[in-house]
Amino acid sequence: MELIVGNIAFSTWSLRPWLVLKRCGADFTTTEVPLYGPDSARLLAQHSPTGKVPVLKVEGETIWDSMAISVWASEMFPDAALWPSDRHARWLARSVACEMHSSFMALRTECGMGPDAGGVIHTMVGPDRAPTPTSEAVAADVRRLVEIIRTMRGRFGAAGPYLFGEWSMPDAFLTPVATRFRHYQFDLSAFGDDGTAASYVAELLRQPDFLEWTELAATKQP
Ligand SMILES: N[C@@H](CCC(=O)N[C@@H](CS)C(=O)NCC(=O)O)C(=O)O
C-alpha cells in the first residue's frame, strides 16, 4: 500500500490521511511528489487522476481525496475505532470532518501553506510567521473553529484530550488547522476561546504521529 503525498512540510491535505493510516497501524509507504515545481504536473499526472494528492494505491486501485482515503481506512480497519463509539458523538464527528473538508476557504487561502506570491514558503513545521492582521472572513472562520472545538470538547471530551475525548477522525482533519494557528500565531482568545481551543491545538501539535511527520519533514527540502 502506497500513499502519495505532496511536500511533507506543507501539504495539509496529505497530512490528514497519513495520520489516519498511522492510527490504523496500516502497513504503507509514503511517496512524496514535490508540488509547484517545473515537473510537478507531469509527476502528479503519473499518480493521480485529478492531478492532486493525496492518493492511496491499494489492491490495484487508486483512491483519491483525503476524505475518501480516510473513509476507506475506517471501513478496512474497524478495530482502529476511527469514529467515536457513542452514536451522537459519531454523527457530529462526521459533521466536523466534513465541514473541515469543505469549508474554511478564507483561512486556507489567506493563511496558506506552501509558497506564497512573494516566494516565501510557509510550512506546518516552522519557522513561525509574525502575526498579521486578519480579514473579517478569516476571523469568521477562526471563530467558527473555536466554537466547534469548545462545543465538542465540552460535550464529548471528558474521556481524553482530543475533540471527542479519545482520538478520532476529526482530529486528523483539524491537525493542519492547528499548524496554521501555530504558524500564523493566532491568539485564539481574540476569537472566543476560553483556553479550550488553545489547549486542544497544543495537544494536536504534540500527538506522536504528528511529531513523526514533523521529523520526516525535517529530512526533506520544503
Ligand atoms: N480535496 C482534495 C484536495 C487535494 C489538494 O488540493 N491537494 C493539493 C496539495 S495540498 C494538490 O495536489 N495540489 C497540486 C496542484 O494543484 O497542482 C483532498 O482532500 O485530497
Side-chain angles (χ1 to χ4, degrees), residues 11-13 35 44 51-54 65-66 101:
S11 179
T12 54
W13 297 101
L35 305 175
L44 286 167
K52 292 190 188 301
V53 283
D65 195 283
S66 57
H101 196 58

Side-chain angles (χ1 to χ4, degrees), residues 166-182:
E166 302 285 337
W167 194 95
S168 66
M169 198 78 92
D171 299 307
F173 281 71
L174 284 164
T175 299
V177 167
T179 71
R180 282 182 214 274
F181 286 164
R182 176 173 66 182

Side-chain angles (χ1 to χ4, degrees), residues 71-221:
V71 171
W72 172 89
S74 64
E75 181 189 317
M76 298 302 284
F77 296 89
D79 293 344
L82 294 176
W83 297 105
S85 55
D86 173 85
R87 71 179 199 279
H88 290 256
R90 195 163 60 246
W91 299 337
L92 300 191
R94 290 192 184 122
S95 294
V96 171
C98 288
E99 183 177 351
M100 193 60 245
H101 196 58
S102 60
S103 312
F104 306 107
M105 292 312 163
L107 183 64
R108 288 186 212 289
T109 309
E110 295 177 43
C111 300
M113 289 290 169
D116 67 18
V120 176
I121 300 178
H122 300 274
T123 77
M124 295 190 278
V125 295
D128 297 337
R129 183 193 173 104
T132 45
T134 46
S135 70
E136 184 41 44
V138 170
D141 279 355
V142 178
R143 279 196 298 270
R144 172 67 189 142
L145 283 159
V146 167
E147 180 187 29
I148 289 172
I149 295 165
R150 287 189 62 185
T151 306
M152 300 308 157
R153 287 281 310 140
R155 282 193 63 188
F156 303 109
Y162 294 110
L163 198 64
F164 289 84
E166 302 285 337
W167 194 95
S168 66
M169 198 78 92
D171 299 307
F173 281 71
L174 284 164
T175 299
V177 167
T179 71
R180 282 182 214 274
F181 286 164
R182 176 173 66 182
H183 179 70
Y184 288 96
Q185 298 196 36
F186 278 92
D187 172 9
L188 296 181
S189 68
F191 300 90
D193 187 28
D194 61 356
T196 307
S199 304
Y200 171 67
V201 162
E203 199 63 49
L204 291 182
L205 294 173
R206 63 172 167 255
Q207 58 181 309
D209 290 336
F210 176 66
L211 296 181
E212 190 180 327
W213 175 269
T214 305
E215 280 163 25
L216 212 52
T219 66
K220 314 268 184 189
Q221 288 288 331

Side-chain angles (χ1 to χ4, degrees), residues 56-76:
L56 181 70
K57 296 186 179 176
V58 59
E59 292 183 25
E61 299 294 353
T62 297
I63 303 174
W64 68 94
D65 195 283
S66 57
M67 178 63 89
I69 298 166
S70 301
V71 171
W72 172 89
S74 64
E75 181 189 317
M76 298 302 284

